[in-house]
């Protein structure tokens, strides 16, 4: 039996295999490439989305409405990671769930490529569903490649995985953004579908290198549970169809009838989910303590993503209207700004990965709470920096492109302090009972942040006003200082997790 297990471990490229990917399990290469192509499709569409929504040749909406749609869409993507994790835990397992997700995302992008405004929102919905199925589970599979939470390669592995995300995110605005803005919007969306098709093919070809745990359904549904789940799903789907049919035929329907419920869900569901896990009596004292610490990280991340994701909406729409989008007389599409962050991630992520390992060997690596505090302060600083181009535009001038680059640079450094570390600490602190679902809980922090932005957009708040930008910046800095002040308490709650 021992011999068989050893052979299986080597075959899948798990810890102990001779074949590695930059010193990491070979399966990381498969997940790296799959995520790279999926992110190519996702970020290409994401770069086009707010610009298409406000463009005269697109949907020609106001900036506030476009920001609301963009934020609600992102909120829904990350909200659906929770049922995506549940689906893997109870029905298919992470590996099969990711394969299904790739097909759904590809169909969503193909639907966006249809030149019809009615099908456009259906396409957004399909991409959101597929992304929700994929995101939590592919990150969980990265965690499966390592020897538990104490494996010293773990943070570095997630940082390398983060590079894969950003290779795709860097290329997408340059290719999909250029084709969408300069040639045809819907042809750009079609290229996103092609990217997802390539990602799906890569995943299916390399799946043999994944750890065997990625095939396991941790807590499969019984026949009775499957029947009950299907009945409930059919009931709620029927209620939604009847409700929106009544609203539509009455002539009262507006887009807010869809967006507002998603916003409310995006704000309430994270609170309900965290409270349910925290009250779970099946968790032992150590797991309960870790969950108390995790709530600190969750709230910090929600504030971070509320500001960070406005780089694709608030800052992008500002650049479209009020920035001089050229360098040394060379003009470029506004969507190209979305490549600034990923290229900086690729440049600096290896530096951060090496830095954490070097500091760890010397016993001087900053705690997770300290890293989070730094990320919050920097994301706040990026919006304090945003006040300068806003002032320039208020004076009747075009802001230089380098102001936009500077904002994205500061956000990138903050992201490297918080995001890959947050992914890693989630897999370390997750109670065994919740497995893949905890990665979905982590993404609910993004949901809460984007839902807050969406709420402001629905309320017609102009997020490009200096007062609102300064208020958001101050909130992030204060949150960062609070996490830093209580870092020792958080570290105690984490127990032996580092």
């Amino acid at each position: 039996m021992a011999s068989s297990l050893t052979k299986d471990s080597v075959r899948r490229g798990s810890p102990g295999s001779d074949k590695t990917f930059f010193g990491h399990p070979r399966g990381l290469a498969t997940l790296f490439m799959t995520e790279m192509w999926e992110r190519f499709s996702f970020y290409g569409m994401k770069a086009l989305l707010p610009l298409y929504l406000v463009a005269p040749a697109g949907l020609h909406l106001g900036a506030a409405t476009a920001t609301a749609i963009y934020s609600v869409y992102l909120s829904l993507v990350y909200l659906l990671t929770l049922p995506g994790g549940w689906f893997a835990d109870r029905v298919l397992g992470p590996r099969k769930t990711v394969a299904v997700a790739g097909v759904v995302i590809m169909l969503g992008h193909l639907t966006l490529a249809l030149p019809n405004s009615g099908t456009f929102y259906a396409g957004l919905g399909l991409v959101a569903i597929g992304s929700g199925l994929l995101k939590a589970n592919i990150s969980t599979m990265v965690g499966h490649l390592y020897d538990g939470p104490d494996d010293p390669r773990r943070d570095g592995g997630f940082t390398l995985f983060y590079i894969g995300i950003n290779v795709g995110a860097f290329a997408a605005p340059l290719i999909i953004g250029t084709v969408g803005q300069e040639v045809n919007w819907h042809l750009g969306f079609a290229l996103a579908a092609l990217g997802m098709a390539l990602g799906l093919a890569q995943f299916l070809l390399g799946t043999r290198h994944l750890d065997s745990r990625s095939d396991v359904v941790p807590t499969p549904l019984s026949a009775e549970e499957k029947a009950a789940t299907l009945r409930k799903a059919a009931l709620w789907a029927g209620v939604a169809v009847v409700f929106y049919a009544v609203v539509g035929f009455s002539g009262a329907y507006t887009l807010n009838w869809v967006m507002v419920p998603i916003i409310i869900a995006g704000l309430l569901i994270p609170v309900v989910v965290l409270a349910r896990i925290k009250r779970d009596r099946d968790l032992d004292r150590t797991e309960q303590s870790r969950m108390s610490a995790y709530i600190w990280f969750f709230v910090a991340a929600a504030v971070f993503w509320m500001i960070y994701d406005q780089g694709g909406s608030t800052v992008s729409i500002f650049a479209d209207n009020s920035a001089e989008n050229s360098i040394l007389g060379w003009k470029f599409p506004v969507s190209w700004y979305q490549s600034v962050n990923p290229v900086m991630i690729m440049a600096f992520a290896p530096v951060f990965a090496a830095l954490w390992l070097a500091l760890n060997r010397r016993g001087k690596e900053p705690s997770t709470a300290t890293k989070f505090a730094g990320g919050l302060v920097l994301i706040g600083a990026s919006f304090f920096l945003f006040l300068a181009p806003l002032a320039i535009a208020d004076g009747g001038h075009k802001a230089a492109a380098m102001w936009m680059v500077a904002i994205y640079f500061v956000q990138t450094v903050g992201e490297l302090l918080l995001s890959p570390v947050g992914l890693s600490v989630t897999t370390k602190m997750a109670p065994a009972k919740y497995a893949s679902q905890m990665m979905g809980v982590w993404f609910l922090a993004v949901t809460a942040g984007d839902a807050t932005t969406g709420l402001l957009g629905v309320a017609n708040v102009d997020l490009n006003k200096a007062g609102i930008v300064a208020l958001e910046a101050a909130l992030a800095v204060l949150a960062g200082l609070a996490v830093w002040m209580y870092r020792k308490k958080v570290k105690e709650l984490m127990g032996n997790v580092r």
Side-chain angles (χ1 to χ4, degrees):
M1 178 64 111
S3 174
S4 174
L5 288 174
T6 301
K7 289 178 181 178
D8 186 65
S9 176
V10 172
R11 179 178 65 82
R12 290 188 176 276
S14 56
S17 171
D18 293 328
K19 297 179 180 180
T20 65
F21 178 65
F22 294 104
H24 291 268
R26 193 179 178 191
L28 184 62
T30 295
L31 299 177
F32 177 101
M33 294 296 292
T34 303
E35 185 74 344
M36 182 192 77
W37 282 113
E38 188 273 332
R39 293 292 89 181
F40 174 83
S41 70
F42 180 82
Y43 280 98
M45 187 275 283
K46 183 179 169 184
L48 287 182
L49 180 56
L51 303 174
Y52 174 75
L53 292 173
V54 299
L59 296 188
H60 204 194
L61 303 174
T65 302
T67 298
I69 292 172
Y70 178 89
S71 299
V72 168
Y73 163 70
L74 289 183
S75 179
L76 184 60
V77 166
Y78 292 99
L79 179 63
L80 291 173
T81 59
L82 191 63
W86 177 91
F87 192 75
D89 277 351
R90 306 300 308 274
V91 183
L92 283 185
R95 186 181 65 80
K96 291 180 181 178
T97 299
V98 167
V100 171
V103 174
V104 175
I105 292 170
M106 183 174 62
L107 291 175
H109 287 303
L110 288 173
T111 304
L112 289 172
L114 299 175
N116 185 293
S117 60
T119 57
F120 180 80
Y121 294 109
L124 284 182
L126 286 172
V127 175
I129 292 169
S131 297
L133 287 170
L134 184 142
K135 287 189 69 63
N137 294 298
I138 199 166
S139 297
T140 297
M141 288 192 288
V142 173
H144 285 164
L145 297 173
Y146 297 95
D147 288 319
D150 295 325
D151 191 324
R153 302 172 300 167
R154 196 181 186 93
D155 278 9
F158 272 99
T159 301
L160 284 173
F161 178 67
Y162 220 62
I163 294 175
I165 293 173
N166 286 282
V167 169
F170 167 71
L174 303 181
I175 299 172
I176 295 175
T178 300
V179 171
Q181 282 193 265
E182 305 296 329
V183 181
N184 180 275
W185 292 106
H186 297 283
L187 182 57
F189 295 130
L191 283 179
L194 175 62
M196 188 63 253
L198 292 171
L200 181 60
Q202 163 63 34
F203 181 76
L204 295 176
L205 288 172
T207 190
R208 66 186 184 278
H209 300 303
L210 301 179
D211 190 89
S212 58
R213 287 173 292 177
S214 297
D215 292 317
V216 174
V217 181
T219 53
L221 291 172
S222 65
E224 294 78 8
E225 287 175 320
K226 286 181 181 178
T229 300
L230 288 173
R231 284 196 300 270
K232 290 178 182 178
L235 174 63
W236 284 108
V239 169
V241 168
V242 171
F243 175 79
Y244 283 105
V246 171
V247 172
F249 285 122
S250 69
Y253 178 82
T254 67
L255 201 54
N256 283 350
W257 280 99
V258 175
M259 291 198 295
V260 171
I262 295 174
I263 289 170
I264 293 172
L267 294 172
L268 292 182
I269 288 176
V271 176
V272 172
V273 168
L274 285 172
R276 180 176 61 85
I277 295 174
K278 191 70 179 66
R279 293 198 309 266
D280 192 334
R281 295 182 180 180
D282 289 342
L283 304 188
D284 60 31
R285 182 175 298 179
T286 299
E287 290 175 323
Q288 286 284 357
S289 180
R290 289 176 181 174
M291 283 305 302
S292 295
Y294 190 76
I295 290 171
W296 280 84
F297 298 130
F298 184 93
V299 174
V303 174
F304 179 90
W305 295 116
M306 178 186 71
I307 295 176
Y308 178 90
D309 276 342
Q310 289 184 59
S313 56
T314 303
V315 179
S316 183
I317 291 173
F318 169 84
D320 193 30
N321 296 324
S322 304
E324 188 62 50
N325 302 311
S326 64
I327 296 177
L328 300 176
W330 174 64
K331 290 189 174 294
F332 54 85
V334 175
S335 59
W336 282 25
Y337 282 118
Q338 302 308 307
S339 288
V340 173
N341 169 266
V343 76
M344 289 179 177
I345 290 285
M346 290 187 286
F348 292 110
V351 176
F352 274 76
L355 176 64
W356 298 147
L357 282 176
L359 290 174
N360 181 272
R361 284 193 293 266
R362 293 172 175 81
K364 296 182 178 179
E365 183 179 2
S367 67
T368 301
T370 299
K371 293 174 184 177
F372 265 65
L376 280 169
V377 169
L378 285 170
I379 201 68
S382 75
F383 259 36
F384 278 127
L385 187 61
F386 189 22
L387 294 174
L390 285 172
I392 293 170
D394 283 342
H397 303 286
K398 292 279 189 178
M402 292 309 294
W403 282 113
M404 305 295 105
V405 174
I407 292 168
Y408 290 122
F409 171 75
V410 176
Q411 290 187 344
T412 298
V413 179
E415 180 184 2
L416 283 169
L417 285 174
L418 185 142
S419 189
V421 177
L423 286 170
S424 180
V425 80
T426 297
T427 62
K428 292 177 184 179
M429 296 172 66
K433 179 178 178 179
Y434 292 96
S436 297
Q437 291 182 61
M438 272 304 292
M439 194 57 70
V441 173
W442 164 252
F443 289 123
L444 284 181
V446 189
T447 294
D450 285 323
T452 303
T453 303
L455 183 63
L456 294 173
V458 167
N460 273 324
V461 174
D462 188 347
L463 295 172
N464 275 317
K465 290 296 183 182
I468 295 296
V469 170
L471 182 62
E472 291 182 81
L475 173 64
V477 171
L478 289 173
L481 292 175
V483 172
W484 185 81
M485 288 173 61
Y486 287 92
R487 67 193 183 282
K488 292 182 180 179
K489 177 179 177 59
V490 173
K491 190 174 181 180
E492 290 175 5
L493 292 169
M494 291 172 69
N496 60 0
V497 174
R498 295 290 178 265

